[in-house]
Amino acid sequence: GFHDAPGEIPGDSGGGQVRAPRVGVRPHLGPHCRGPGIRGGHVRRVHRLLHRAGSARHRGADPDRVRPADPPHLPRRRPVVMVDADHGYGNALSVMRTVEELETAGVSALTIEDTVLPVSFGANGAQLLSVEEGIGKMKAALAGRTDPALTIAGRTSALRISGLEDTIKRVKAYEAAGVDAIFLAGANTRDEVAAVAAEVSVPLLLGGTTGELQDKEWLGANGVKVALQGHLPFSAAVKAVYDTLKALRDGVAPADLRDSLAPDEMMGQFTRRSSYQKWTADYLN
């Protein structure tokens, strides 16, 4: 799992704002882990509470769980948050601003990619920045970081755009620029992952692993530290909303949908009902 102490805001002499736990990819990341993509405040709250529920197993050898350290000055655990920062939303100076903003927001890790975004008019598919511009963006991202515990990963989609040879050239250049990890987008085979892993010493991150790349034991033995599993919770939520609205439109009585709904106790937990009731009693009465 992830074990890392949070960084404080530079210049804070104590008692000030404290940042969220970071994703210590360099020495702290476990042999392998899997993580879901999440969106939305309530979904993040579910994610956090699931982390708490499994805390008894987090410090063991369970590879499917991720747990930040439990610093004594934080009142409760917070989940590790890794953000896809795309290409930094502009040139290298925009990358610096993106890193500053995300660090201030308290993220644990972020990725900066070398894809041309938004897609250019008339472009036939995705395009890549030059290696030189990609290096400049990685260096700018690192320069924009003030908390050394924030993990910055260089991301490339070159495998599916320009091939393995160019991919290796890019990841070696980004590692030389100083990134903490490489996010290898679009990897489909073990041969591709193994070839890249043989050329770099920093951890690898994968997204959307399928087929032969679902073997987390093999991934962990070949330099992969994070294997994303897609936006399954978000997709499940979309289907649940659709099914519920369709049932209501078709005349199903709300009471007949109760078995497919979150029970009242769960809704109270994830909407922090007891806290709001206490705050109402304390401050509004």
Side-chain angles (χ1 to χ4, degrees):
F2 297 146
H3 304 280
D4 201 19
E8 295 182 356
I9 289 182
D12 184 18
S13 60
Q17 180 182 357
V18 179
R19 299 196 190 283
R22 303 304 188 190
V23 70
V25 164
R26 295 182 289 278
H28 305 291
L29 194 59
H32 37 247
C33 75
R34 292 167 136 176
I38 57 173
R39 301 180 183 180
H42 290 321
V43 177
R44 286 190 292 272
R45 193 165 298 137
V46 173
H47 183 54
R48 180 176 67 233
L49 291 174
L50 285 174
H51 276 273
R52 294 180 187 173
S55 61
R57 302 202 305 159
H58 280 164
R59 291 198 180 274
D62 184 356
D64 290 340
R65 292 188 178 273
V66 180
R67 181 186 186 275
D70 195 10
H73 56 284
L74 289 182
R76 61 188 180 190
R77 301 186 191 99
R78 287 188 257 176
V80 170
V81 177
M82 181 171 69
V83 173
D84 177 1
D86 295 321
H87 69 324
Y89 313 108
N91 61 20
L93 301 184
S94 297
V95 171
M96 293 184 71
R97 174 62 181 269
T98 298
V99 171
E100 292 170 356
E101 295 285 353
L102 290 175
E103 183 182 284
T104 300
V107 306
S108 305
L110 59 90
T111 63
I112 296 293
E113 64 185 86
D114 56 6
T115 311
V116 176
L117 295 173
V119 176
S120 302
F121 175 79
N124 184 20
Q127 296 176 308
L128 297 171
L129 303 173
S130 68
V131 175
E132 293 75 19
E133 185 173 359
I135 292 171
K137 286 201 168 189
M138 303 308 162
K139 289 182 176 180
L142 295 164
R145 174 176 66 184
T146 58
D147 183 347
L150 172 64
T151 295
I152 295 178
R155 172 172 170 157
T156 185
S157 300
L159 273 177
R160 303 275 72 87
I161 298 175
S162 55
L164 180 59
E165 182 178 351
D166 185 50
T167 298
I168 291 175
K169 177 181 178 181
R170 288 172 180 271
V171 299
K172 291 175 68 174
Y174 300 158
E175 179 182 31
V179 298
D180 305 313
I182 294 294
F183 191 116
L184 194 60
N188 291 333
T189 68
R190 290 185 177 186
D191 287 345
E192 290 173 340
V193 174
V196 173
E199 299 291 338
V200 296
S201 59
V202 295
L204 297 181
L205 287 65
L206 300 182
T209 52
T210 58
E212 62 187 79
L213 294 181
Q214 289 184 310
D215 183 346
K216 59 181 179 291
E217 298 295 338
W218 185 91
L219 293 176
N222 286 271
V224 177
K225 302 301 183 181
V226 176
L228 300 183
Q229 303 300 290
H231 295 292
L232 299 182
F234 180 69
S235 296
V238 169
K239 185 177 186 304
V241 170
Y242 174 84
D243 289 346
T244 302
L245 291 175
K246 183 176 184 301
L248 292 172
R249 186 198 66 180
D250 293 343
V252 177
D256 294 335
L257 295 173
R258 188 169 302 277
D259 289 343
S260 63
L261 305 178
D264 184 69
E265 180 182 0
M266 182 181 290
M267 287 299 298
Q269 183 180 21
F270 294 133
T271 59
R272 298 188 292 182
R273 181 189 300 151
S274 61
S275 294
Y276 277 93
Q277 289 172 341
K278 181 180 183 302
W279 296 334
T280 299
D282 288 345
Y283 308 127
L284 297 182
N285 294 330

